Amino acid sequence: MASSSLSAALVTKLEAAQIASRALATLTTAQKNHALAAIAEVIDANHSAILAANALDIEAGESSGMAEGLLDRLRFTPERLTSLANAVRDVISLPDPVGVVVRGNDMPNGIHLSQVRVPFGVVGAIYEARPNVTVDIAALCIKSGNASVLRGGSAAENTNTVTVSLIQKALVSAGLPAEAVQSIDELGREGATQLMAARGYVDVLIPRGSANLINAVVLESKVPVIETGAGVVHLFIDESADLSQAVEIAHNSKVQRPSVCNALETLIVVDSIAEEALPPILTRLVDAGVTLKGDARAREIFPTIGLATDEDYATEHMALEMSVKVVSDLDEAIAHIRRFSTKHTESILTNNVTHADKFLAEVDAAVVMVNASTRFTDGGEFGFGAEVGISTQKLHARGPMGLPELTSTKWLVRGSGQIRH
């Protein structure tokens, strides 16, 4: 039974979402793809309206002193909207997970068992300053047969209001219920608090945002949560790494888009090559505007950087700030990662196969890489289309969450009159 503390306004939305979810669960792949095409088209056709609303949110964010990293996540541009519409079209091309048989067998008595993928039902999402997530989650939920209830936060409320309205218009034009995608932003923070208590109405809740937001949802929610984690991401360079490659990968991992969760936060370099490796890498980062802090050994080699504390090593900056650590060997690097990692993405640069294998085996994270930029941890880059988030937990889903991760399973049992003896 759902909580009696829920407001009448929220209950009305959640009951409508449940009804919509039952309709979505029975749609054919063609019907869902038709709705997604309509959403992509309505985004392409309404850049002006979306950008005007987004400008209001950006202005409010700047006036309130919002950090540049969050402003970057909040900001839409014509190019980003085009990419967003294309990401929806990418979802159209992906296999429909609903009805896929995971496993099955015939029992000795002739009963046939099959485990098939089914939608969750109603997916709730709580996020902040990320209006692209509104479209990403809506598209993935529709393709996977789920209704979605979205709390996008006050920072993006104008943008989300327009975007959800356009999505609902597209759904209706495709013959789907508008309530398949709903926002509860107008209910404010209390709406988010109540959404976390809506067990019985919401089947799963997905938070995306700062570590504080994610932790609050994980600790307070009565609804099952899939935890998407903050990204304290590390890049370790060992003595066998290609240094010219290391300069490019470190720069890309940090600078290409510093406000996202797969951006580099701590560079770790083995001491035997630190005097050769750190100056070109750190110079490139400083030239790109990155503020650096390091341990005593890093500062001895590159004296202009600040002194890093444990708090620095534990921080997801989401900005052009980064920490540096010099270690004696691979084991010390892994120990440092084990201490400070949020288990999101970790990468090693090496030409030593033994080191690569050890790093892959011993580092505990959703994504572990060898000789690649950390920026590749992304549902789109992995070929999943958009993503709901990057799960850092170990139950149900881990890593970028695409369509299959938005389904559960049920067992279908087909008999012909058998009874149990």
Side-chain angles (χ1 to χ4, degrees):
M1 192 71 178
S3 170
S4 60
S5 65
L6 305 183
S7 70
L10 181 61
V11 169
T12 297
K13 283 180 175 282
L14 296 180
E15 287 179 341
Q18 287 185 318
I19 294 169
S21 74
R22 292 193 283 272
L24 287 171
T26 62
L27 294 178
T28 65
T29 301
Q31 288 173 307
K32 291 186 281 190
N33 286 344
H34 179 55
L36 292 174
I39 290 172
E41 289 168 9
V42 82
I43 293 171
D44 278 337
N46 289 275
H47 279 202
S48 296
I50 298 171
L51 292 174
N54 187 245
L56 296 175
D57 290 329
I58 292 293
E59 182 181 356
E62 290 174 339
S63 298
S64 66
M66 180 181 287
E68 182 53 43
L70 285 177
L71 283 171
D72 179 64
R73 287 183 168 186
L74 178 60
R75 184 177 288 109
F76 270 151
T77 64
E79 294 76 19
R80 288 183 179 180
L81 287 177
T82 298
S83 295
L84 196 58
N86 287 337
V88 176
R89 293 186 178 98
D90 289 341
V91 175
I92 294 174
S93 67
L94 296 174
D96 188 341
V98 178
V100 170
V101 177
V102 178
R103 56 179 168 163
N105 64 281
D106 291 315
M107 295 171 61
N109 63 6
I111 288 177
H112 179 71
L113 304 176
S114 58
Q115 185 185 25
V116 300
R117 291 199 176 277
V118 294
F120 280 126
V122 177
V123 174
I126 298 176
Y127 50 103
E128 54 191 1
R130 302 170 184 223
N132 64 295
V133 171
T134 301
V135 178
D136 288 345
I137 290 183
L140 287 170
C141 282
I142 290 165
K143 184 68 178 257
S144 56
N146 295 290
S148 53
V149 179
L150 311 174
R151 162 61 180 166
S154 58
E157 187 166 354
N158 290 296
T159 311
N160 288 334
T161 297
V162 170
T163 305
V164 170
S165 175
L166 291 171
I167 291 171
Q168 291 180 331
K169 178 181 176 182
L171 292 174
V172 171
S173 75
L176 273 63
E179 295 79 13
V181 178
Q182 298 181 81
S183 169
I184 60 166
D185 281 353
E186 72 273 17
L187 303 180
R189 290 192 176 184
E190 180 59 25
T193 300
Q194 291 189 26
L195 190 64
M196 289 186 273
R199 191 177 184 93
Y201 286 117
V202 178
D203 295 286
V204 65
L205 191 58
I206 301 171
R208 284 191 65 176
S210 67
N212 288 339
L213 180 146
I214 293 165
N215 289 338
V217 174
V218 169
L219 294 175
E220 296 176 23
S221 179
K222 296 179 175 65
V223 175
V225 175
I226 297 177
E227 182 176 354
T228 65
V232 178
V233 173
H234 300 82
L235 176 68
F236 172 55
I237 304 171
D238 80 357
E239 61 275 8
S240 69
D242 181 318
L243 293 187
S244 62
Q245 200 176 77
V247 171
E248 295 300 322
I249 290 176
H251 179 270
N252 182 260
S253 295
K254 183 66 214 180
V255 175
Q256 199 250 353
R257 196 173 178 194
S259 64
V260 291
C261 57
N262 56 26
L264 178 63
E265 299 296 357
T266 299
L267 176 71
I268 307 174
V269 179
V270 71
D271 193 25
S272 60
I273 62 160
E275 292 188 6
E276 180 185 3
L278 281 181
I281 294 173
L282 300 189
T283 297
R284 178 79 181 276
L285 290 168
V286 169
D287 289 346
V290 180
T291 299
L292 298 169
K293 293 182 180 180
D295 61 4
R297 177 63 173 141
R299 297 181 76 219
E300 181 182 311
I301 297 167
F302 206 84
T304 58
I305 66 177
L307 179 64
T309 64
D310 282 356
E311 183 179 355
D312 293 313
Y313 288 126
T315 298
E316 181 189 30
H317 296 289
M318 296 188 295
L320 289 173
E321 301 175 42
M322 200 182 82
S323 303
V324 184
K325 175 74 174 177
V326 179
V327 296
S328 58
D329 55 22
L330 174 59
D331 286 332
E332 188 181 350
I334 292 175
H336 181 90
I337 291 170
R338 188 172 291 133
R339 180 181 178 191
F340 292 104
S341 174
T342 53
K343 301 184 178 181
H344 187 292
T345 300
E346 309 295 354
S347 185
I348 182 174
L349 304 187
T350 182
N351 282 304
N352 183 315
V353 174
T354 301
H355 283 186
D357 289 345
K358 180 180 176 70
F359 193 86
L360 292 171
E362 296 188 15
V363 171
D364 183 16
V367 180
V368 186
M369 301 178 166
V370 177
N371 295 329
S373 168
T374 62
R375 288 283 290 115
F376 284 109
T377 299
D378 176 84
E381 293 293 331
F382 278 22
F384 303 159
E387 68 182 23
V388 176
I390 296 171
S391 172
T392 54
Q393 66 181 31
K394 296 182 180 180
L395 295 179
H396 178 69
R398 202 175 193 199
M401 292 177 57
L403 290 170
E405 288 76 26
L406 280 174
T407 62
S408 181
T409 65
K410 68 180 178 183
W411 285 93
L412 306 182
V413 180
R414 292 182 172 89
S416 54
Q418 292 89 342
I419 60 172
R420 183 172 176 175
H421 298 288

